Amino acid sequence: MSRLNNGGQCWWKRIFRIAGSRCTKVAGGVMLQISNSCRPLVRKKAALCLLRLYRKNPDVVNVDGWSERMVQLLDERDLGVLTAVMSLLVALVANTPHAYWNCVPKCVRTLERLTRGQDIPQEYTYYGIPSPWLQVKTMRVLQYFPKIDDPTIRKSLLDVLQRILLGTDVVKNVNKNNASHAVLFEALALVMHLDADKEMMSQCVVLLGKFISVREPNIRYLGLENMTRILLVADVADSIKKHQSQIITSLKDPDISIRRRSLDLLYGMCDVSNAKDIVEELLQYLTTADFGIREELALKAAILSEKFAPDLSWYVDVILQLIEKAGDFVSDDIWYRVVQFVTNNDDLQVHAAAKALDYLDKPAVHETMVKVSGYILGEYSHLLARRPGCSPRDIFHILNDKFPAVTTPTKALLLSACVKIMMHCQPPDPELVDQVVAVFRRYESSVDAEVQQRAVEFLALARKGTAFVDIMAEMPKFPERQSPLLKKAEDTDGDASEVSATKIRQQQMQQEQNSTALVVADPQPANGGLHPVSVPKTAAPARHSEQAVTSETPQDSKSFPPSQSQAHSNGGTPQQAPGHTPGSASADLLSDLVGPLSLEAPPPVASTSSSDLLALEAPPTPTAAAATPADSLALALLDSAPTQVQPLGNVSEWFKELTLKDSGVLYEDPYVQIGLKAEWRNAQGRIVLFVGNKHTGPLTNVKSSVLPPPHLRMQSAVVPENIPPRAQVQVPVDVACLSASRETAVLEFSFNVGHAPVSVQLKLPTSLNKFLQVAPVSANEFVARWRALGGPPSKLQEVVRGVRPMPLAEMANLFIRLHIGVANGLDPNVNNVVAATTFYSGTAATLCLVRVETDPSDRTQMRLTVASEDPNTTYELKEFIKEQVMDIPFPGQSPQAATVTPATIPLTGPAAALAGLI
């Protein structure tokens, strides 16, 4: 290597010429060059050379030896060398993030130095921005770490990001815009990854709101794209709604890419409050939209109208308008769904039949409209018999006029409608019977076997007399089924911003290897919701679903089974998995994306175990010889074998976070990430599991099984047996609560990587608070109900020791996150907290009252009183609240030791007065 140094600036060229089969020795020599004794140019080239070698063969770098070495290299003052070192660190962290935690403080310090412009040479300042490339790489490194727990480091990092957000604006200089926006959007990705507070997220939305209103199309595109991304990671829907008019304006932009992004954002931000406005805008835009986007537009309008319909009559009106405006782009699944709702809701049938007749009576009618109107009129036209112009004969003439212009399958459906109309006409109208029979005779010699068979059968049935009425009776109600529209939505979202973040990260990693281009991970927003109360329980699931769906066409009144989700679950056995590929971690399903996998790379070899899983068995495989421990920079042998597969974070912490919020990461290891998004309404809920394959190979023999406790009724969709590389599937799970309990459901998930199986068992966040809703009560009502409930077992009181010390404001905030409403000012003692909530189970709603009495001199204890009409609910809620406020038990302390009788803490002053009152 000394001769290489004497060769001047061409030494690295010689290294590549001899790298081939001797890359291990060459890498060892390169590492010797990264030292303070060499010139900055040599150190920079050495770091880049090692990066190239590492990309060709990751095993040339020993993780243990380079962990501390990278920390030293991050102290480099020369920005050229530091940029090269940071590029190397990005590659190393992508493979083994757990080994480089000690680099986080140095990365934050580097960002502070750059954003404050401290000691930045002029040659590294680009249009007034200190080394934007280094800023982006540093923030990219920080996104590979699942979570930053150190409060000091986290605060410093958030301050830096705040400075970037506030200091970035749109200027006229294109080059400066490109550099500043590259830094800004990487900062936004890091803010989402860190799951920052709501105020900071709202600042991001305000900043993006400025971007979507500028004239430059690239900036508008990035603003819409990142606003879609941030929609899922934080509760900022209200802030985004303030920009709804500007987003709708972007829907008419000349650039189709911007139109697609605005459509995705409107779809994601839609809820009950703005569904009517957004759907109406989509319907208006449908008539002028490009043909390439109309099918996706029609599908999303149908999904939104179903999910957020204020009433079913509005839903029917929207779908019929949709068919009229874009019949060629409306799939059969959409009108099947309308027929299902109309059949299952008696009060909707008259309205649907009248609307169908209005549309069908127009001169030019799309064939899809003929199908849905023909079916509805065949079943329910008799309900309109007393209206002018709606006699069976009038309706038959309207249907008969459509025969010449429709295809053969539609003719078969119209024949069924005609025989239904004739059947409903009681007593029979001889003239109508003759006209209908004439239609049957006309088609009894049709060349199409289906049409001919129907005509012949209906002609024979018409001679049956009264028996004919029984045979052609009205269709029964359909069983509750899941909408297939979401499956269709996934197939049409190939170019939408909801594209799986795994694919985006795969593109990122490829581009990082081939160039220094900056790429921002694309999120996958998901906005779902249970149906409004007026909509039946056949609500659509949240976003895209990978469940198995079967769909049969309702061609006639004799057989109409709309699509139904065939849901079942399968289990797995604990096995072992290889660890030969490296991977990355992500702390939040939403910060990943907004799709469950935001940062991806080959999986790491985990070295620590976790007790957080209910079960995780992966016997280690035999290992090969390891590198000599005496050399801290020794190179790992190429054939080093893997160790056990371990989660890339604290599974119990993930579960605890999901207890208080409805989206995040449930589990992640080097091969798979399982994200979760849930929605709850009263006693029912829906959980959507985002299962992402992070591995470069397919996951085979994938199985999942949900094991519900006795108090829950759950149904899970089928998981595909194989998940392709870098792909993501979504598994909806429907939940219904039958009674109060603190038990949670368990997910058994197993898969094969290569020929080695992996199996895990995870607790699902189906905790008691998911079925609670804040109950606002007045002081008089609270006291009256409190007195009426009396003592045990309806009212239970317990003094709890070992409580996590927290201010009253923090405790009140915890209760609110648990859906227990705090009644401020109701208790005369300012050290007490009074709250109320309603627990929903089945068809019952139980009001629960809570009172917490604290001791200002000792926040580690409190008196907890819970009261409700149901003793079981009272007990379970009391125990659940205890679990949420309890601190970690002291060493050697048993759980029973943390609970004493109420008499151990005497109450005085206002607390005693209130206790005597209520």
Side-chain angles (χ1 to χ4, degrees), residues 444-628:
E444 67 177 347
S445 59
S446 172
V447 295
D448 183 80
E450 175 71 14
V451 174
Q452 183 188 87
Q453 181 178 353
R454 288 173 187 250
V456 172
E457 290 178 352
F458 292 156
L459 189 59
L461 287 173
R463 302 190 184 101
K464 293 289 185 180
T466 55
F468 168 67
V469 177
D470 295 331
I471 295 173
M472 299 303 298
E474 185 176 305
M475 284 289 291
K477 297 186 183 303
F478 296 105
E480 294 181 359
R481 289 168 176 167
Q482 197 170 43
S483 173
L485 297 182
L486 299 177
K487 175 65 176 178
K488 182 70 175 177
E490 183 174 0
D491 297 335
T492 60
D493 274 348
D495 190 40
S497 67
E498 290 98 342
V499 172
S500 172
T502 57
K503 299 178 182 177
I504 299 301
R505 176 52 61 178
Q506 185 179 16
Q507 297 170 5
Q508 278 187 311
M509 298 302 296
Q510 184 66 29
Q511 291 191 22
E512 285 178 355
Q513 293 178 3
N514 297 332
S515 69
T516 57
L518 304 178
V519 181
V520 181
D522 197 7
Q524 179 179 3
N527 176 46
L530 297 180
H531 264 303
V533 178
S534 61
V535 179
K537 295 178 183 177
T538 50
R543 276 294 173 178
H544 318 309
S545 171
E546 285 287 352
Q547 59 199 344
V549 177
T550 61
S551 180
E552 300 181 21
T553 307
Q555 293 295 343
D556 57 63
S557 303
K558 298 184 296 181
S559 175
F560 174 36
S563 56
Q564 179 179 10
S565 169
Q566 307 294 338
H568 69 275
S569 53
N570 29 0
T573 56
Q575 306 274 354
Q576 98 180 42
H580 58 277
T581 36
S584 70
S586 174
D588 195 318
L589 162 69
L590 307 178
S591 30
D592 293 342
L593 115 292
V594 174
L597 302 173
S598 81
L599 299 176
E600 298 184 88
V605 177
S607 59
T608 58
S609 61
S610 171
S611 59
D612 304 314
L613 287 176
L614 298 181
L616 173 57
E617 300 181 15
T621 56
T623 58
T628 305

Side-chain angles (χ1 to χ4, degrees), residues 302 350 507 637 838:
V350 175
Q507 297 170 5
L637 296 182
T838 302

Side-chain angles (χ1 to χ4, degrees), residues 550-878:
T550 61
S551 180
E552 300 181 21
T553 307
Q555 293 295 343
D556 57 63
S557 303
K558 298 184 296 181
S559 175
F560 174 36
S563 56
Q564 179 179 10
S565 169
Q566 307 294 338
H568 69 275
S569 53
N570 29 0
T573 56
Q575 306 274 354
Q576 98 180 42
H580 58 277
T581 36
S584 70
S586 174
D588 195 318
L589 162 69
L590 307 178
S591 30
D592 293 342
L593 115 292
V594 174
L597 302 173
S598 81
L599 299 176
E600 298 184 88
V605 177
S607 59
T608 58
S609 61
S610 171
S611 59
D612 304 314
L613 287 176
L614 298 181
L616 173 57
E617 300 181 15
T621 56
T623 58
T628 305
D631 185 1
S632 63
L633 297 181
L635 301 176
L637 296 182
L638 302 182
D639 58 350
S640 59
T643 59
Q644 296 187 25
V645 174
Q646 300 294 343
L648 299 180
N650 191 316
V651 180
S652 64
E653 286 296 324
W654 287 334
F655 174 79
K656 186 176 180 181
E657 290 179 6
L658 288 172
T659 302
L660 300 177
K661 61 182 185 178
D662 293 332
S663 58
V665 171
L666 179 67
Y667 171 76
E668 183 176 9
D669 64 25
Y671 303 98
V672 70
Q673 183 188 65
I674 303 177
L676 179 146
K677 183 175 177 64
E679 296 159 353
W680 308 93
R681 183 182 294 274
N682 298 343
Q684 296 183 344
R686 163 158 291 175
I687 297 173
V688 179
L689 300 173
F690 298 78
V691 182
N693 178 7
K694 300 166 53 178
H695 190 37
T696 53
L699 300 182
T700 59
N701 197 27
V702 179
K703 296 180 180 180
S704 75
S705 177
V706 176
L707 308 178
H711 75 287
L712 295 179
R713 184 174 66 247
M714 303 179 70
Q715 188 177 40
S716 172
V718 180
V719 179
E721 188 172 352
N722 297 315
I723 302 179
R726 309 293 189 184
Q728 177 194 91
V729 299
Q730 300 181 19
V731 185
V733 181
D734 292 323
V735 185
C737 180
L738 306 178
S739 63
S741 176
R742 286 166 293 132
E743 291 186 68
T744 59
V746 174
L747 171 67
E748 289 187 345
F749 184 80
S750 62
F751 60 92
N752 284 10
V753 180
H755 296 289
V758 179
S759 179
V760 296
Q761 289 185 335
L762 306 163
K763 292 193 297 182
L764 290 176
T766 55
S767 48
L768 181 65
N769 63 303
K770 303 299 184 182
F771 308 101
L772 299 178
Q773 285 190 12
V774 172
V777 295
S778 64
N780 293 335
E781 183 181 4
F782 186 96
V783 173
R785 289 181 176 271
W786 188 273
R787 287 174 174 171
L789 289 172
S794 297
K795 182 187 295 183
L796 298 177
Q797 186 177 89
E798 180 177 348
V799 173
V800 184
R801 293 186 185 275
V803 175
R804 183 172 67 255
M806 65 181 86
L808 284 182
E810 183 180 342
M811 181 180 292
N813 182 58
L814 173 62
F815 278 16
I816 292 173
R817 297 184 69 186
L818 294 173
H819 304 161
I820 303 174
V822 176
N824 294 320
L826 195 150
D827 196 311
N829 191 336
V830 295
N831 295 310
N832 295 348
V833 175
V834 174
T837 186
T838 302
F839 171 71
Y840 290 89
S841 61
T843 58
T846 305
L847 178 65
C848 304
L849 306 179
V850 179
R851 184 175 183 230
V852 176
E853 301 161 271
T854 66
D855 184 356
S857 61
D858 186 1
R859 292 292 186 186
T860 62
Q861 60 180 357
M862 70 180 192
R863 175 180 289 174
L864 173 64
T865 309
V866 179
S868 76
E869 294 179 349
D870 179 34
N872 178 62
T873 302
T874 302
Y875 174 78
E876 293 293 340
L877 180 58
K878 177 180 73 70

